[in-house]
Amino acid sequence: MSAPPTALVFVVDDDASVRKSLARLVKAAGYEAETFASVRDFLARRPFDGPCCLVLDVRMPGLTGLDLQEALRAAGQRLSIVFITGYRDVPVSVKAMKGGAVDFLTKPVDEGTLLGAIQQAVARTLADRRQQARVTEIRNRITTLTPREAAVFALVVTGMLNKQIGSELGIAEKTVKVHRARVMEKMRAGSLAELVRLAGEGSVIAAG
Amino acid sequence: MLSLVPLIQRTCLALLALLYGAPPSPALAAAHDPIPSGDWVVWQVVTGAVLILSLVLLGVGLVLERAGRRRAEVSLGERLRFETLLSEQVATFSRVAEADVDRAIQRALRRIADFLAVDWGNLTEYSDDSRTARVTHWWVAEGVGPQPSAIGFEEIPWVVTRLRRGELVRFSKLEELPESEASVDRQTYRRLGIKSQVAVPLTVEGVVVGALAFSTVGTERAWRDEFVQRLHLLGEVFANTLSRRRSETEGQRLRQDLAHVGRVSTMGELTASLAHELNQPLTAILSNAQAAQRILDSDPADLGEIREILGDIVEDDKRAGEVIHRLRGFLKKGTLELSTLDIGELVSQVARLVSSDAIIRNVAIRLELAPGLPPICGDRVQLQQVVLNLLMNGLDAMRESGGGERSLVLRTFSAGPASVVVAVEDSGVGIEGADLDHVFHAFYTTKPDGLGMGLAIARSIVEAHGGQLDARNNPQGGATFSFTLPAIEKEP
């Protein structure tokens, strides 16, 4: 198993013996496992920051697996999901996959398929969170810019020359140069190319 | 006119008094005082003439008054009778059974036509393509020749246009129809011998679906306003009744369609819910077993954990077994709705159900039904499911067979006096030797998308009916699935 041995797998299924057996298998494969009998139970748990993923039954009494997927998305939680279901329901599986599920597996699930999906899901959770952290970091840097610097930043990344930016904002080219240097410094960008990339990652180009 | 009568009477009395010397009333004396006595003769002549004229007027007035009163009384009586007739119809149609609608309409037409003294009363229904008015119910007076069973819209364009706008049509003679606009209508009525007519539209949910018409043949006649207006009510009653029946017929057809779908899908639903119930223990068993394998591979293996796992596997297997057991029980008792069935009819119905499917798959279904088979006792829907399942299996089996004739023979025959057999013979790929032993086991399937429940359920149903389901390969290729059912023995 190349998966990080410390990853935690949450198993949410209303059937006790399915829950137990899946947790056992996951543990035997080297993961940690936590089981929940309902979506509500899972939502009551404190969000986990470490590497993890969710193995989620689709049909359950009360809130369904799709409801949980929606709730996590609404809360901005990055937690990749492997759905398991007793029904081959195409519309539901399409919905789940469109909602970002890693896989949609039909019970009974073979260990190879399940563990492969779990490994992928854990990796995706980590990647998503890294991405999320980076976006947050970039946005934090942007908030340190003064309004004038932010305006210069927005125009610089569109490829405008200092002179053009100056006439656009009605300030001297020299002043633009000063602002621009501050922007590079505050955004911790070594080059114009990097600054443009940061703007893209932070999705701020249109926001200027 | 009536107010004239007392005046004339008073004038006459006054003149009589004058003429025969009785003392004139003060009022009259004042009126006649200015007349000079020298003109006495002229006065007498004038008063005589006035008297005679007055008497005549008095007589005429009295006669007219009597006649007027009588006519009002008759009309009131007629109207009362007509209202009674209408309310009877309303009452009748509000509770008429679907099967009696036609007869009730016929009866109503006759009574109304009798009352109005017309020659022809009819109810027409407009065709969906708005081209013809088809006569659905009619009444014709004795001695009146046969009337058409349908009239094209183009034959009476003016009348139809007005009716379809929801207006009433009434004419006492053909000349009342507008000369140029209704010239075609006039021609048609002339040809049919119709002299006068009153027609009201039949409206269902705002759409004119037909008309109610009463006509005279041979004689012209006037239509009384009060009757004509009331015919609208009758039109409404008829329209409501017909639309109710139409929706009932559609409802019935829908129910039949649903029953068909139900028959096809019940088996599917059963397997779906079964699949889910079985899936949970099967999932647990698989995951537990695979977890145990992993634990065994690790060093040192946790035997306590493995023991626990094995215990759980046994429990889940029992749970799966219970599901199957419940299904068997469900099929065996309680839910069988037994009735006497003609097996030939039953299999024909199912064959019809899959006929379109067979055509799409280019398979010919041939029925070979032995005549005079004894009836059987069983649950119609469940046995239909069995036949359906065998037919669908047969069609599936031929999916993989290459060229050559694709045929499915559905056969019924007698196997001794107390049992009938239904056999489904396909020209498909047949059953491989190893599969032949397992085809009836639950979850055994050779189909990529099959659950392996169809034949297992089919066998349970047949066995619940005291019969037996068998499979064998045909010498000429393909396979035959057949089941026996005990027949109801005929009284010797």
Side-chain angles (χ1 to χ4, degrees), chain A residues 141-172:
Chain A
R141 288 180 203 169
I142 290 168
T143 55
T144 65
L145 300 178
T146 64
R148 182 48 51 97
E149 283 164 0
V152 171
F153 175 41
L155 294 176
V156 166
V157 297
T158 62
M160 273 193 190
L161 299 172
N162 288 351
K163 204 171 167 185
Q164 295 168 308
I165 295 169
S167 72
E168 178 80 25
L169 296 176
I171 52 176

Coordinates of all heavy atoms in Angstrom, one line a residue, chain A residues 141-172:
Chain A
R141 N -2.8 37.8 0.8 CA -1.8 38.8 0.3 C -2.5 39.9 -0.4 O -2.1 41.1 -0.2 CB -0.8 38.1 -0.7 CG 0.1 37.2 0.0 CD 1.0 36.5 -1.0 NE 1.6 35.3 -0.6 CZ 2.2 34.4 -1.4 NH1 2.4 34.7 -2.6 NH2 2.7 33.3 -0.9
I142 N -3.5 39.6 -1.2 CA -4.2 40.7 -1.9 C -4.8 41.7 -1.0 O -4.8 42.9 -1.2 CB -5.3 40.1 -2.9 CG1 -4.6 39.4 -4.0 CG2 -6.2 41.2 -3.4 CD1 -5.5 38.5 -4.8
T143 N -5.3 41.2 0.2 CA -6.0 42.1 1.1 C -5.0 43.1 1.7 O -5.4 44.2 2.3 CB -6.7 41.4 2.3 OG1 -5.7 40.5 2.9 CG2 -7.8 40.5 1.8
T144 N -3.7 42.8 1.6 CA -2.7 43.8 2.2 C -2.5 44.9 1.2 O -1.8 45.9 1.6 CB -1.4 43.1 2.5 OG1 -0.8 42.6 1.2 CG2 -1.6 41.9 3.4
L145 N -2.9 44.8 0.0 CA -2.7 45.9 -1.0 C -3.6 47.1 -0.7 O -4.8 46.9 -0.3 CB -3.0 45.4 -2.4 CG -2.2 44.2 -3.0 CD1 -2.7 43.8 -4.4 CD2 -0.7 44.5 -3.0
T146 N -3.1 48.3 -1.0 CA -3.9 49.5 -0.8 C -4.8 49.6 -2.1 O -4.5 48.9 -3.1 CB -3.1 50.8 -0.8 OG1 -2.4 50.9 -2.1 CG2 -2.1 50.8 0.3
P147 N -5.9 50.3 -2.1 CA -6.8 50.4 -3.2 C -6.0 50.8 -4.5 O -6.3 50.2 -5.6 CB -7.8 51.5 -2.9 CG -7.8 51.5 -1.4 CD -6.4 51.1 -0.9
R148 N -5.1 51.7 -4.4 CA -4.4 52.1 -5.6 C -3.5 51.0 -6.1 O -3.4 50.7 -7.3 CB -3.6 53.4 -5.2 CG -2.7 54.1 -6.3 CD -3.3 54.3 -7.6 NE -4.6 55.0 -7.6 CZ -4.8 56.3 -7.9 NH1 -3.8 57.1 -8.0 NH2 -6.0 56.8 -7.9
E149 N -2.8 50.3 -5.1 CA -2.0 49.2 -5.5 C -2.8 48.0 -6.2 O -2.4 47.4 -7.1 CB -1.3 48.6 -4.3 CG -0.1 49.4 -3.8 CD 0.3 49.1 -2.4 OE1 -0.3 48.2 -1.8 OE2 1.3 49.8 -1.9
A150 N -4.0 47.8 -5.6 CA -4.9 46.8 -6.2 C -5.2 47.2 -7.6 O -5.3 46.3 -8.5 CB -6.1 46.7 -5.3
A151 N -5.5 48.5 -7.9 CA -5.9 48.9 -9.2 C -4.7 48.7 -10.1 O -4.9 48.2 -11.3 CB -6.3 50.4 -9.2
V152 N -3.5 49.0 -9.7 CA -2.3 48.8 -10.5 C -2.1 47.3 -10.8 O -1.8 46.9 -11.9 CB -1.0 49.4 -9.8 CG1 0.2 49.0 -10.5 CG2 -1.2 50.9 -9.7
F153 N -2.3 46.5 -9.7 CA -2.1 45.1 -9.8 C -3.1 44.5 -10.9 O -2.7 43.8 -11.8 CB -2.5 44.5 -8.5 CG -2.5 43.0 -8.4 CD1 -1.5 42.2 -9.1 CD2 -3.5 42.3 -7.7 CE1 -1.6 40.8 -9.0 CE2 -3.5 40.9 -7.6 CZ -2.5 40.2 -8.3
A154 N -4.3 44.9 -10.9 CA -5.3 44.4 -11.8 C -4.9 44.8 -13.3 O -5.2 44.0 -14.2 CB -6.7 45.0 -11.5
L155 N -4.3 46.0 -13.4 CA -4.0 46.4 -14.8 C -2.7 45.7 -15.3 O -2.5 45.4 -16.4 CB -3.9 47.9 -14.9 CG -5.3 48.6 -14.7 CD1 -5.1 50.1 -14.7 CD2 -6.3 48.2 -15.7
V156 N -1.7 45.6 -14.3 CA -0.4 45.0 -14.7 C -0.6 43.6 -15.3 O 0.0 43.2 -16.3 CB 0.5 44.9 -13.4 CG1 1.7 44.0 -13.7 CG2 1.0 46.3 -13.1
V157 N -1.5 42.8 -14.6 CA -1.6 41.4 -15.0 C -2.4 41.3 -16.3 O -2.5 40.2 -16.9 CB -2.3 40.6 -13.9 CG1 -1.4 40.5 -12.7 CG2 -3.7 41.1 -13.6
T158 N -3.0 42.4 -16.8 CA -3.6 42.3 -18.1 C -2.6 42.6 -19.2 O -2.9 42.5 -20.4 CB -4.7 43.3 -18.3 OG1 -4.2 44.6 -18.2 CG2 -5.8 43.2 -17.3
G159 N -1.3 42.9 -18.8 CA -0.3 43.1 -19.8 C 0.0 44.5 -20.2 O 0.8 44.8 -21.1
M160 N -0.7 45.4 -19.5 CA -0.5 46.9 -19.8 C 0.9 47.3 -19.4 O 1.5 46.9 -18.4 CB -1.5 47.7 -19.0 CG -2.8 47.9 -19.8 SD -3.7 49.2 -18.9 CE -5.3 49.0 -19.7
L161 N 1.4 48.3 -20.2 CA 2.7 48.9 -19.8 C 2.5 50.0 -18.7 O 1.3 50.5 -18.6 CB 3.4 49.6 -21.0 CG 3.7 48.6 -22.2 CD1 4.1 49.3 -23.4 CD2 4.7 47.6 -21.8
N162 N 3.5 50.4 -18.0 CA 3.4 51.4 -17.0 C 2.8 52.6 -17.5 O 1.9 53.3 -16.8 CB 4.8 51.7 -16.4 CG 5.3 50.5 -15.5 OD1 4.5 49.6 -15.3 ND2 6.5 50.6 -15.1
K163 N 3.2 53.0 -18.7 CA 2.7 54.3 -19.3 C 1.2 54.2 -19.5 O 0.5 55.1 -19.1 CB 3.4 54.4 -20.6 CG 3.5 55.9 -21.1 CD 4.4 55.9 -22.3 CE 4.3 57.2 -23.1 NZ 5.1 57.1 -24.3
Q164 N 0.8 53.1 -20.0 CA -0.7 52.9 -20.3 C -1.5 52.9 -18.9 O -2.5 53.5 -18.8 CB -0.9 51.6 -21.0 CG -0.3 51.6 -22.4 CD -0.3 50.2 -23.0 OE1 0.1 49.3 -22.3 NE2 -0.8 50.1 -24.2
I165 N -0.9 52.2 -18.0 CA -1.6 52.1 -16.7 C -1.7 53.5 -16.1 O -2.7 53.9 -15.5 CB -0.8 51.2 -15.7 CG1 -0.8 49.8 -16.2 CG2 -1.4 51.3 -14.3 CD1 0.1 48.9 -15.5
G166 N -0.6 54.3 -16.2 CA -0.6 55.7 -15.7 C -1.7 56.5 -16.3 O -2.5 57.2 -15.6
S167 N -1.8 56.5 -17.6 CA -2.9 57.3 -18.3 C -4.3 56.7 -17.9 O -5.2 57.5 -17.8 CB -2.7 57.3 -19.8 OG -3.0 56.1 -20.4
E168 N -4.3 55.4 -17.8 CA -5.6 54.8 -17.4 C -6.1 55.3 -16.0 O -7.2 55.6 -15.8 CB -5.4 53.2 -17.4 CG -6.7 52.5 -17.0 CD -7.7 52.3 -18.1 OE1 -7.3 52.4 -19.3 OE2 -8.9 52.2 -17.8
L169 N -5.1 55.3 -15.1 CA -5.5 55.7 -13.7 C -5.3 57.2 -13.5 O -5.6 57.7 -12.4 CB -4.6 54.9 -12.7 CG -4.8 53.4 -12.7 CD1 -3.9 52.7 -11.8 CD2 -6.3 53.0 -12.4
G170 N -4.7 57.9 -14.5 CA -4.5 59.3 -14.3 C -3.4 59.7 -13.3 O -3.5 60.7 -12.6
I171 N -2.4 58.8 -13.3 CA -1.2 59.1 -12.4 C 0.1 59.1 -13.3 O 0.1 58.5 -14.4 CB -1.1 58.1 -11.2 CG1 -1.2 56.7 -11.8 CG2 -2.3 58.4 -10.3 CD1 -1.0 55.6 -10.7
A172 N 1.1 59.6 -12.7 CA 2.4 59.6 -13.4 C 3.0 58.2 -13.6 O 2.7 57.3 -12.7 CB 3.4 60.5 -12.7

